[in-house]
């Protein structure tokens, strides 16, 4: 019951999906101890951050039917907010709070402006407007190098409590140092869980139900009394704010931010792939999609290196499995995936469970 | 006498074409008015102007004497103008119950509530279930609206209107395309509604026997203009209807 409330009554509704979600939850929670080494923890932190980012994108795209190219812009605003605040004001919690607050304010104003000025136009034009705004922002970020570090980005210190220089305990646990870096990981993890649950609540609120109605038939939603411009604007503002918070977590974890880490167009494409692979309009889809994609992004290349070495005598196969081709393979997996599961993995799992019942 | 609903010189032009031409007409509370006219007469467009889907080129719509000119479709809905569409217009991938529940929720003005869980609002769900019962769709509550057969979609269309509980009900050919055994469900519903005598009902209907039985009054539109208005028997007998409307019907 308690769990039902936490999940806002939106249970996975499929045994397999439940198992997958539990595995992801505990896998991420225990990564620092199960897979010692900085790399695995890095990947786990990135998964947590992208779950929030993809879920916030799903809020607009999957639930409301709003497609915006400016999503990474808000991710970048969050990351730059923290980066600029911490590098100019020093590595304090206060600076972190100021950076986060300022980023949220900027994101709020920008998303509100984009929403009010352009949500009335056709979806296609809206996407184009957001693309233009996002591109302008990206240019601005690399031009204002005094402020943003330009293309090199900004490296900065975070509060000492979150660094490996801060020992929490003189002991190690299973060979893992209990230090501030570990604490930082759990901060990111906990924030991701809370933010995801908040978004899950929003989409399962009466408001969230209206968003789905608008996605299904905006005209009829108007006719039964919902002012769709208001709802669509709220949805895209919320989506932007959560993306901003994901950016805050990213900067906090990396202690660095630059245009390629948080603003690039590639990230935009990746988010889109993650939400489609996982299943649009399900929230859980972002968990599954982000996890799969980021694991693939980080480990597919290793796997391919193995395969490529194995085929070292066969030039064609060797080249085919060359680690640089990983995106090609991901593309193939993606196409097969979308073809087999048009509603995404979560959609497919839920449908199978529903058919069985 | 204040009308529940009144249109004054209501007009809309599409380019050079006048689809609704200065229609002035008042509807008394508690009555059922049938609006008839051949295809393309402007009946649906007249409804669109009243419920706010289209903006009038000229003229006004008054609800209980208040000018609605500045009101959007959602505002008109909240003020008590309800509308079922001629071309079925549902939330296709949402369940039958959810289609209705959304209308109940709108009426309860809970749409902007972001923090409660929708399924905890039991009162909205039970109200939606009640409405579902009245349109005989209880057995199909969990099916996606798009998976319903045509007749059931028409019933759901009417169900959404019932869930809004407006003061003014506008039905646009509610039984069109329904099979013979489904029609009575809808007609009974309209009959019950009429018997309550506190709702104002506008009904666009091609079937003359239905019109004759249900209506207190008939208004005839032709080429966008109001050409006849009065007691059902008198209007049906009038030469203009015989020619302009029934002539078309017979010729079909
Ligand atoms: N959005 C629009 N743009 C241009 N013309 C329109 C538009 N809507 C309606 N019309 C025209 O207005 C006229 C009236 O159409 P309307 O749908 O109101 O007729 P109707 O009386 O409802 O007919 P039917 O019995 O076939 O439903 C038609 O000639 C139609 O082509
Ligand atoms: Mg019509």
């Amino acid at each position: 019951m308690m769990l039902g409330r936490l999940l806002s009554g939106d249970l996975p509704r499929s045994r397999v999906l439940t198992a997958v979600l539990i595995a992801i939850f505990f896998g991420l929670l225990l990564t620092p101890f199960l897979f010692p080494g900085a790399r695995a923890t890095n990947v786990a932190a990135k998964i947590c951050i992208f779950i929030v980012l993809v879920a916030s994108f799903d809020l607009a795209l999957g639930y409301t039917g709003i497609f915006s190219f400016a999503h990474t812009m808000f991710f970048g605003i969050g990351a730059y907010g923290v980066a600029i605040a911490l590098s100019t004001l020093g590595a304090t919690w206060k600076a972190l709070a100021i950076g986060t607050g300022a980023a949220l304010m900027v994101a709020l104003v920008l998303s509100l402006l984009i929403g009010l000025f352009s949500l009335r136009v056709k979806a296609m034009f809206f996407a184009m407007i957001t693309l233009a705004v996002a591109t302008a922002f990206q240019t601005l970020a690399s031009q204002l190098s005094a402020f943003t570090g330009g293309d090199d980005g900004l490296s900065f210190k975070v509060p000492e409590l979150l660094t490996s220089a801060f020992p929490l305990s003189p002991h190690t646990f299973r060979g893992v140092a209990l230090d501030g870096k570990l604490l930082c990981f759990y901060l990111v993890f906990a924030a991701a869980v809370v933010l995801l649950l908040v978004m899950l609540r929003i989409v399962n609120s009466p408001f969230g139900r209206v968003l789905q109605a608008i996605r299904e038939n905006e005209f009829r939603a108007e006719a039964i009394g919902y002012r769709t411009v208001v709802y669509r604007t709220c949805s895209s503002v919320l989506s932007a704010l959560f993306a901003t918070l994901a950016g805050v977590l990213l900067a906090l974890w990396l202690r660095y931010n630059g245009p390629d880490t948080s603003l690039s167009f590639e990230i935009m494409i990746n988010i889109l792939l993650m939400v489609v692979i996982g299943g649009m309009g399900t929230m859980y889809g972002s968990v599954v999609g982000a996890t799969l994609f980021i694991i693939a992004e980080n480990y597919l290349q290793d796997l391919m290196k193995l395969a490529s070495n194995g085929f070292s005598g066969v030039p064609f196969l060797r080249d085919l499995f060359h680690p640089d081709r990983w995106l090609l393979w991901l593309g193939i997996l993606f196409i097969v995936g979308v073809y087999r599961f048009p509603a995404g993995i979560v959609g497919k799992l839920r449908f199978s469970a529903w058919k069985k019942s | 006498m204040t009308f529940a609903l009144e249109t004054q010189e209501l007009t809309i032009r599409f380019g050079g074409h006048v689809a609704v031409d200065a229609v002035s007409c008042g509807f008394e509370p508690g009555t059922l008015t049938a609006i008839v006219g051949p295809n393309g007469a402007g009946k649906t467009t007249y409804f669109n102007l009243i419920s706010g889907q289209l903006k009038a080129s000229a003229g006004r719509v008054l609800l209980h004497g208040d000018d609605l000119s500045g009101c959007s479709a959602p505002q008109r809905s909240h003020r008590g103008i309800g509308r079922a569409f001629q071309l079925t217009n549902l939330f296709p991938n949402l369940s039958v119950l959810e289609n209705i529940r959304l209308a109940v929720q709108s009426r309860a003005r809970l749409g902007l509530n972001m923090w409660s869980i929708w399924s905890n609002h039991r009162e909205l769900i039970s109200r939606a279930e009640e409405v579902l019962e009245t349109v005989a769709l209880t057995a199909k509550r969990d099916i996606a609206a798009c998976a319903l057969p045509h007749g059931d979609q028409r019933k759901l269309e009417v169900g959404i209107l019932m869930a809004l509980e407006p003061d003014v009900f506008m039905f646009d050919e509610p039984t069109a395309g329904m099979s013979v055994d489904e029609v009575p469900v809808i007609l009974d519903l309209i009959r019950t509604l009429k018997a309550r005598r506190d709702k104002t009902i506008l009904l666009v209907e091609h079937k003359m026997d239905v019109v004759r039985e249900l209506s207190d009054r008939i208004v005839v539109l032709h080429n966008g203009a109001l050409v006849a208005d009065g007691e059902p028997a008198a209007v049906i007998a009038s030469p203009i209807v015989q020619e302009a409307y029934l002539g078309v019907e017979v010729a079909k």
Side-chain angles (χ1 to χ4, degrees):
Chain A
M1 263 348 305
M2 175 65 193
L3 192 66
R5 278 195 69 80
L6 265 181
L7 300 181
S8 304
D10 187 2
L11 302 173
R13 298 204 304 273
S14 148
R15 272 210 203 125
V16 185
L17 180 57
T18 310
V20 169
L21 291 172
I22 290 174
I24 292 175
F25 179 84
F26 284 105
L28 291 173
L29 181 70
L30 301 175
T31 295
F33 300 100
L34 288 179
F35 314 101
R39 185 168 177 213
T41 310
N42 249 326
V43 170
K46 210 173 161 202
I47 291 176
C48 292
I49 293 163
F50 270 80
I51 286 175
V52 175
L53 185 62
V54 174
S56 65
F57 188 60
D58 195 28
L59 181 64
L61 179 65
Y63 282 87
T64 326
I66 300 173
F67 184 86
S68 158
F69 278 111
H71 205 65
T72 45
M73 174 175 87
F74 295 109
F75 189 48
I77 288 175
Y80 272 110
V82 169
I84 293 170
L86 287 181
S87 53
T88 54
L89 303 175
T92 62
W93 291 102
K94 195 173 155 209
L96 180 61
I98 291 174
T100 307
L104 285 172
M105 286 308 292
V106 172
L108 177 74
V109 171
L110 260 178
S111 59
L112 208 57
L113 284 179
I114 296 178
L116 289 178
F117 281 108
S118 44
L119 274 175
R120 288 162 195 273
V121 302
K122 289 241 158 55
M124 185 67 194
F125 290 107
F126 178 75
M128 289 300 125
I129 290 169
T130 57
L131 183 60
V133 174
T135 313
F137 187 84
Q138 205 172 347
T139 315
L140 206 64
S142 23
Q143 294 298 312
L144 293 176
S145 48
F147 204 43
T148 61
D151 287 333
D152 297 333
L154 291 168
S155 287
F156 52 90
K157 286 194 163 58
V158 297
E160 203 196 345
L161 182 62
L162 300 180
T163 63
S164 42
F166 188 91
L168 293 173
S169 147
H171 308 287
T172 61
F173 182 75
R174 300 192 58 194
V176 180
L178 304 177
D179 59 14
K181 190 72 191 171
L182 190 68
L183 191 66
C184 189
F185 173 75
Y186 283 110
L187 180 71
V188 169
F189 177 83
V193 171
V194 170
L195 291 174
L196 184 72
L197 289 179
V198 171
M199 281 186 269
L200 197 60
R201 171 58 61 92
I202 291 173
V203 299
N204 283 294
S205 68
F207 170 79
R209 290 265 144 170
V210 180
L211 299 187
Q212 296 177 54
I214 292 172
R215 175 196 69 199
E216 289 295 312
N217 186 346
E218 180 164 4
F219 176 83
R220 188 57 191 253
E222 283 264 323
I224 62 174
Y226 295 113
R227 294 173 60 194
T228 55
V229 186
V230 173
Y231 288 87
R232 284 160 58 87
T233 306
C234 283
S235 166
S236 54
V237 168
L238 285 170
S239 164
L241 293 181
F242 283 104
T244 307
L245 290 173
V248 166
L249 295 179
L250 180 79
L252 198 60
W253 175 254
L254 293 179
R255 287 169 288 159
Y256 164 81
N257 182 46
D260 290 341
T261 17
S262 61
L263 278 180
S264 77
F265 197 69
E266 195 187 324
I267 298 178
M268 193 62 229
I269 303 286
N270 290 354
I271 304 174
L272 189 61
L273 292 181
M274 290 182 227
V275 77
V276 173
I277 292 171
M280 275 197 279
T282 59
M283 277 295 143
Y284 293 117
S286 41
V287 178
V288 178
T291 307
L292 275 182
F293 187 93
I294 289 174
I295 289 179
E297 186 185 40
N298 284 279
Y299 295 104
L300 198 60
Q301 296 188 50
D302 291 355
L303 209 68
M304 288 172 62
K305 199 177 286 168
L306 281 179
S308 185
N309 291 341
F311 288 119
S312 54
V314 195
F316 172 70
L317 287 178
R318 187 190 62 207
D319 290 345
L320 195 60
F321 286 99
H322 191 276
D324 285 352
R325 305 269 177 284
W326 81 275
L327 212 59
L328 169 79
W329 281 97
L330 196 68
I332 292 174
L333 286 179
F334 176 71
I335 291 167
V336 172
V338 169
Y339 186 72
R340 290 273 302 142
F341 316 123
I345 296 170
V346 170
K348 172 77 183 175
L349 288 176
R350 279 184 165 173
F351 184 69
S352 317
W354 177 78
K355 250 196 346 202
K356 252 186 257 161
S357 70
Chain B
M1 170 86 235
T2 62
F3 294 114
L5 177 75
E6 187 183 1
T7 66
Q8 296 177 343
E9 301 286 317
L10 199 60
T11 304
I12 187 166
R13 288 177 214 98
F14 296 115
H17 178 67
V18 188
V20 172
D21 192 359
V23 175
S24 296
C25 191
F27 303 93
E28 285 171 23
T31 61
L32 190 151
T33 308
I35 298 175
V36 302
N39 295 110
K43 306 179 294 291
T44 299
T45 309
Y46 185 55
F47 274 11
N48 283 336
L49 290 171
I50 295 173
S51 54
Q53 267 78 37
L54 289 173
K55 259 191 123 49
S57 316
R60 309 195 294 168
V61 177
L62 305 178
L63 182 69
H64 304 300
D66 298 334
D67 189 354
L68 294 184
S69 299
C71 293
S72 62
Q75 283 169 326
R76 291 180 194 208
S77 164
H78 283 301
R79 286 212 171 190
I81 294 186
R83 164 83 192 276
F85 290 87
Q86 177 177 8
L87 298 174
T88 306
N89 206 326
L90 305 167
F91 303 108
N93 294 304
L94 304 184
S95 73
V96 168
L97 183 74
E98 181 64 5
N99 269 267
I100 306 256
R101 202 199 60 83
L102 280 163
V104 177
Q105 176 181 295
S106 170
R107 187 181 151 73
R109 295 196 171 244
L110 273 171
L112 283 169
N113 183 323
M114 292 186 192
W115 197 242
S116 61
I117 303 174
W118 72 272
S119 52
N120 285 355
H121 291 275
R122 295 295 321 171
E123 72 287 356
L124 302 188
I125 299 174
S126 4
R127 173 72 193 123
E129 285 167 341
E130 262 171 55
V131 174
L132 221 49
E133 191 69 48
T134 62
V135 289
L137 282 176
T138 303
K140 307 199 168 163
R141 55 171 275 167
D142 295 323
I143 297 178
C146 60
L148 291 176
H150 177 80
D152 285 340
Q153 291 194 351
R154 298 298 302 156
K155 288 190 208 161
L156 184 54
E157 177 72 40
V158 170
I160 292 176
L161 170 59
M162 303 312 274
L164 290 171
E165 299 178 59
D167 292 331
V168 176
F169 285 77
M170 300 197 290
F171 296 94
D172 198 346
E173 300 188 30
T175 61
M178 275 190 162
S179 65
V180 197
D181 52 321
E182 287 170 323
V183 172
V185 177
I186 299 299
L187 293 186
D188 281 345
L189 229 143
I190 297 177
R191 238 174 247 127
T192 316
L193 210 56
K194 188 187 163 195
R196 287 176 51 178
R197 289 270 152 213
D198 60 344
K199 301 292 186 187
T200 308
I201 306 167
L202 275 60
L203 171 68
V204 170
E205 183 56 76
H206 276 301
K207 300 187 183 82
M208 268 319 195
D209 49 334
V210 172
V211 169
R212 192 180 285 115
E213 183 220 319
L214 284 175
S215 58
D216 301 308
R217 169 191 178 197
I218 298 180
V219 168
V220 185
L221 289 184
H222 187 52
N223 288 334
L226 194 156
V227 293
D229 178 359
E231 294 279 313
V235 172
I236 290 171
S238 70
I240 193 152
V241 170
Q242 295 294 326
E243 183 199 350
Y245 187 73
L246 294 180
V248 174
E249 279 288 281
V250 172
K252 259 208 241 178

